[in-house]
Amino acid sequence: KWHFIFSAYAKRAKNMREQAEAKERLAEVEKMKCHLHKKPKNGCKFCKKHQDLLEEAQKQGPQANDRRGQDKKKRKPDRAISEDRDDTQRGPLELANTKNYGLSGLLQTHIVECAHYKSLLTLETFEQMVDETYQFANSVEPYMANSGTLPSALFCCLYRYFTMGLDSHNLRRLVNNTDSPYIRCCGFLYIRLGLPQNELLSWLGEYLIDDEEFKPSPDSDFKTTIGEYVELLLSQEKYYNTPLPRLTTATKRHVEEKLAPLAQNRKRMQANKHIVDVFREPGMKVECNIGGEWIVGALIELDEDPPNRPKIRARLADGSEEYVHLGKVIIADKNVRTDRARRGGGSGRSRSRSRHDWSREKGRSDRELVEEMRSRERDKFVCASGKDYAKKPVGYKAACALPREQGTASYRLMEEETFVPMTHRSTTRRRSPTPERQNFGKRPSAEQQARMQQLFEKYGNQKSTSEASSRSDDIDKADFMRLG
C-alpha cells in the first residue's frame, strides 16, 4: 500500500517537473522570437531559427502533453466547469480594433487628453457610466459646440465603454434604454465603431424603423428619429466630418438590401399605428414581409413592449410562428375596416389621406427598390460634373492645419490674444473711388463762385474765338517754310 502511494507521488512529482521544464524551454524559445516579423516567414533566418527551436522544445516533452490530454479526457464535467464556460460566453464582446476602437487618431488623442475622460476613469461599474451618460450627454456630435478640440461628453463616455468592455447584455441595455435617446445613440456608436462588420445588421437592423424623436444637439432647429440616425450610421462614410470604419463590398450589399425598402416600411408603420386597435384582435388574416417575400399568416397577438417599434406575432402558412415589425405587415382580411375617417369622427381627415393605403398595399418589391438604389449610386460615381471627382486624402499634419468652424466667442478670444481682427475679407474687389465721388458733397462757397464767374466772362469768349480761328487756319491755309 505504502509502495503504491509513494509511486503515485513520484509520478506526480515527475509530471510536475516535466511540465515546469517544458514551460521554461518554451519561455526561452519565445525570447528567441524574430524581432522583425510578427508572423513567421520562410525567407527570414531569425524566423527559421525560432521555428526549429520551437519544434525541438515540443518534441522533448510529448509525454507530459499526452498525460495532460488524458487527464482532461478522464475528468468528468461538473457544475463549476459548466458555469465557467457560461461566464466566458457572457464575457465582453470581441472588438474589431482594440487599438483606436474605430476612431480617428486625432479624435482619440483629444478624448484621451480631455479632463472629462480622465475623471471617468474613476468610474468602474456599468451603472455609474449609464448615470454619467444620462447626466451630461446632450449631443451626438463628436466635439462640443464652437470647438474643434474639446470632445463631447457622449464620445468621452463612449471611449470609456470601449475601455471597460461591454457584454451583449449591457449593450442591449444601452440601445434599449428608455431614459435618454443619447444613451441609445452611444450604444449604436459602440456597435458601428467597435463590433465586426458581419455583426452590424444583426444588432442594428431591428432599429431602422424606430420612430423615437430627439434633437441631435441642443441648438438644433430640427428633430430626427432613432431609425434615421441608425440609417445614417450604416449608409454614410463620415460622421460629422469624422471618418467611420469602411464597410466591405459584401457588407455594403447586405446594407443596401436593408435600406432600400426602408421608406415604404416607415410609411406602412405610421399607417398601421393609426389603426393599431385593429391588430389587437387575434385571428385576423395578414401578410408579412419576411426576407423580401410576402407570406400569408394569421395574427396571434400584438407586442407593444417597445412602443416606438411594435411587433406582431403571426402564425404563417407553414405552421411556424414569427415576430414581425408592424411596418412589414399588411391586412389581408377584406372584412376589416381600416378607414381613419371612421376613427377620426368626420370626413375631413379622409381628404388628406394619400392615394396609397399602406396598411393594405404591398408597394414596390424589395428587389426593384434595391436595383434602383444601386443604379442611383452608380450614376452618382460615374456621372460626376465639375469637381465632384475623388480628392487626394489629406494627411495628419495637413488636416491639423485646416481651418475649423468656430464661433464668435472663439474668434473674440483669438483677437484679444493676437490683436489681429479675425473677420473674413470679402473676395469681391472694390473699385477705387473717382475724383467726382471723392469731391461729392463738397460745394464751393458763394465767394468762389463769383470769382469763377468773372474769370469765365473775361476769358471765356476770347478762348472760343481763338480756338475757332485756329481751327479754320488749320483747314484752309497751307503750310509755308521761309528760307533765308
Side-chain angles (χ1 to χ4, degrees), residues 275-286 298-302 333 335-337 342:
I275 55 171
V276 69
D277 293 336
V278 177
F279 292 93
R280 293 191 174 96
E281 301 175 2
M284 183 177 61
K285 186 179 179 182
V286 295
L299 176 66
I300 297 178
E301 63 176 354
L302 175 66
D333 194 347
N335 297 326
V336 178
R337 298 183 60 185
R342 174 175 59 87

Side-chain angles (χ1 to χ4, degrees), residues 37 92 108 206 257 335 429:
H37 307 107
Q108 183 186 21
E206 180 184 355
E257 294 173 0
N335 297 326
R429 294 182 59 186

Side-chain angles (χ1 to χ4, degrees), residues 366-471:
D366 293 359
R367 185 176 300 175
E368 294 178 4
L369 295 172
V370 170
E371 291 298 329
E372 182 182 353
M373 173 182 280
R374 288 174 180 171
S375 63
R376 198 163 52 241
E377 290 294 325
R378 285 194 297 267
D379 294 341
K380 185 195 300 183
F381 288 109
V382 174
C383 304
S385 61
K387 293 186 177 180
D388 292 340
Y389 50 83
K391 297 181 180 180
K392 182 180 178 181
V394 183
Y396 176 76
K397 295 183 179 179
C400 294
L402 289 177
R404 299 186 181 90
E405 296 181 0
Q406 295 179 345
T408 55
S410 301
Y411 280 120
R412 197 179 299 114
L413 289 173
M414 294 173 68
E415 288 179 7
E416 292 177 358
E417 292 180 358
T418 59
F419 299 97
V420 177
M422 302 301 296
T423 56
H424 298 284
R425 296 181 180 178
S426 60
T427 57
T428 58
R429 294 182 59 186
R430 296 182 179 178
R431 298 190 333 187
S432 59
T434 58
E436 292 80 3
R437 291 187 178 181
Q438 288 181 349
N439 299 328
F440 181 76
K442 298 180 181 179
R443 296 181 178 178
S445 61
E447 205 176 304
Q448 187 178 1
Q449 287 180 359
R451 193 179 303 112
M452 292 295 294
Q453 182 68 23
Q454 291 176 2
L455 293 173
F456 179 76
E457 290 175 355
K458 185 175 180 180
Y459 299 104
N461 294 331
Q462 293 180 2
K463 185 177 181 182
S464 60
T465 54
S466 62
E467 286 179 356
S469 61
S470 63
R471 288 176 184 172

